[in-house]
């Protein structure tokens, strides 16, 4: 955005409209990506958060983020780190949350998700973010409710977490779309590309833990309902596997119409590399991967040859097209300048988790006229809607984040120097997730 007074130049909105659209908070506008709209477009130099004279502490907000910074999972985890850093930078440059800047402490997630959260609480953190891991996220929820310090998970997307295992949590929230939303997006993408009548068999290669099991179960339920297809192979490699060839060989033997995978990080790269080396793409009509685009910065051009469609959860920087929605293009340029990487959905995992909490805290201060306690902030987070450069998101009463999901054909761009998505399809949340109070498998079974 270059002209704060020209709606067309600002993606179709001016400052006054933007403030109304984003709930009257200049902080919300800043985190939606419209920083040029703040205080320089119409002579309005009011405080960004307009919090009144309420009781708001002077000291910075202490926040903690845990994410993968090492090994194969770092392909995604470092993106979440960059996203959280970018959101914090934008918040602080625009006056903080109700005047309070954020100080963000980032630690390696490893296998110590519960211990990391406990350490953050012992250090007096006001809020915590992360983790990436679904298993780690499940282990944390009882402790989060015992400690009473809000955690907004960046990922940890296993569907059963809030549907079945912890339906009544108070302080645990999750920003990213959960597994059913991307598994069903993959099933619908396969039908969109091939046609339901042309899908008779499918296979899966998914990580051997809660996330991979959840994704495969939901994809199987969805694709079988949509097409009547039969599962012919289900491979479950361990995380950070050093060989996928057994799974590639079995798929070549079965020649399924569709291969589904939720492999992520370095595992996704290895699977595609060994699939290319062993002609797997010649023995199937389509590969659909829910998190394949998350490894956009890790692929070589040759990894992407053939019918491969990847999901990008709730963010792809060119969807909607940037001539209609400039905040995503602005974010892309900012991330390229700051970090030299292509921002993926996992960048948005970190950015969105921070944004969810910060805009809710800002709203709570404007409602209460003072800084909220953890219970009050948890109440405001429920049914809290907000914009990011990825579009509109809602934190539901079930503590689950909802937004549109993206799927597209994976290709190589010489201009970008990395993977891109072409022919992107957008799947609205209500089309790939059950209504509140209904479990995903029961909902799919009712189709």
């Amino acid at each position: 955005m270059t002209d704060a007074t020209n709606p067309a130049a600002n993606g179709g909105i001016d400052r006054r409209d933007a403030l109304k659209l984003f709930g009257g908070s200049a902080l919300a506008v800043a985190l939606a990506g419209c920083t040029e709209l703040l205080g320089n477009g119409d002579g309005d130099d009011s405080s960004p958060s307009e919090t009144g004279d309420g009781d708001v502490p002077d000291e910075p907000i202490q926040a903690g983020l845990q994410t993968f910074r090492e090994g194969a999972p770092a392909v995604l985890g470092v993106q979440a780190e960059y996203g959280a850093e970018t959101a914090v930078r934008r918040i602080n440059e625009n006056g903080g949350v109700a005047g309070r800047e954020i100080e963000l402490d980032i630690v390696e997630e490893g296998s110590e998700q519960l211990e990391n959260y406990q350490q953050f609480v012992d250090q007096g953190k006001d809020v915590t973010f992360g983790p990436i891991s679904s298993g780690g996220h499940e282990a944390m929820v009882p402790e989060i409710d015992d400690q009473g310090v809000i955690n907004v998970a960046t990922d940890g997307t296993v569907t059963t977490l809030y549907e079945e295992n912890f339906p009544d949590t108070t302080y645990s929230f999750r920003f990213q779309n959960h597994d059913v939303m991307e598994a069903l997006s993959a099933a619908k993408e396969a039908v969109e590309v091939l046609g339901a009548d042309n899908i008779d068999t499918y296979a899966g290669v998914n990580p051997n833990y809660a996330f991979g099991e959840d994704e495969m179960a939901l994809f199987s339920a969805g694709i079988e309902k949509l097409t009547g297809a039969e599962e012919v192979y289900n491979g479950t490699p361990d995380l950070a596997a050093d060989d996928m060839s057994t799974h590639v060989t079995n798929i070549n033997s079965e020649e399924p119409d569709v291969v589904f995978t939720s492999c992520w990080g370095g595992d996704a790269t290895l699977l595609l590399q060994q699939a290319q080396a062993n002609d797997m793409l010649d023995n199937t009509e389509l590969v659909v991967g829910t998190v394949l685009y998350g490894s956009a910065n890790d692929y070589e051009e040759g990894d992407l040859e053939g019918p491969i469609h990847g999901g990008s959860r709730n963010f792809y920087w060119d969807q909607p097209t940037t001539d209609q929605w400039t905040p995503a293009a602005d974010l892309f340029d900012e991330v390229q300048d700051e970090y030299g990487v292509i921002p993926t959905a996992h960048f948005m995992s970190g950015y969105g988790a921070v944004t969810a909490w910060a805009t809710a805290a800002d709203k709570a201060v404007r409602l209460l006229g003072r800084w909220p306690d953890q219970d009050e902030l948890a109440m405001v987070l429920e049914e809290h809607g907000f914009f990011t450069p990825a579009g509109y998101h809602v934190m539901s009463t079930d503590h689950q984040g909802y937004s549109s999901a993206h799927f597209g054909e994976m290709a190589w761009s010489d201009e970008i120097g990395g993977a891109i998505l072409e022919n992107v399809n957008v799947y609205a949340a209500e089309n790939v997730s059950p209504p509140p109070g209904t479990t995903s498998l029961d909902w799919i079974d009712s189709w």
Side-chain angles (χ1 to χ4, degrees), residues 157-214:
T157 55
V158 66
T159 298
T160 52
L161 181 76
Y162 295 135
E163 283 190 354
E164 300 176 19
N165 296 339
F166 302 105
D168 298 318
T169 180
T170 300
Y171 305 104
S172 173
F173 295 83
R174 174 170 56 200
F175 167 73
Q176 265 293 1
N177 292 347
H178 51 316
D179 293 349
V180 66
M181 301 175 73
E182 53 192 15
L184 290 185
S185 296
K188 289 176 178 281
E189 180 78 359
V191 171
E192 178 73 19
V193 173
L194 298 180
D197 292 341
N198 297 316
I199 302 174
D200 296 321
T201 57
Y202 70 95
V205 181
N206 294 274
N208 186 24
Y209 76 114
F211 167 72
E213 295 166 0
D214 193 45

Side-chain angles (χ1 to χ4, degrees), residues 327-378:
D330 293 342
L331 183 70
F332 182 87
D333 292 341
E334 181 177 338
V335 174
Q336 287 273 292
D337 291 343
E338 183 72 23
Y339 303 108
V341 300
I342 300 169
T344 69
H346 289 82
F347 178 95
M348 191 51 60
S349 296
Y351 189 98
V354 172
T355 301
W357 182 88
T359 53
D362 190 65
K363 181 193 292 183
V365 172
R366 287 184 288 114
L367 289 170
L368 299 171
R370 58 172 172 76
W371 192 259
D373 62 28
Q374 294 281 345
D375 287 318
E376 292 166 336
L377 187 45

Side-chain angles (χ1 to χ4, degrees), residues 183-184 187 191 217-228 441 444 447:
L184 290 185
V191 171
L218 292 161
F219 177 83
S220 296
I223 198 72
E224 290 179 14
K225 276 288 184 178
L226 292 170
T227 69
L441 288 174
I444 296 169
W447 293 359

Side-chain angles (χ1 to χ4, degrees), residues 57 70 151 161:
E70 302 171 356
N151 181 80
L161 181 76

Side-chain angles (χ1 to χ4, degrees), residues 235-257:
T236 55
D238 291 334
L239 282 176
D242 58 8
D243 186 8
M244 298 278 186
S245 61
T246 298
H247 309 294
V248 171
T249 298
N250 286 328
I251 288 169
N252 282 341
S253 175
E254 296 292 344
E255 299 189 2
D257 295 317

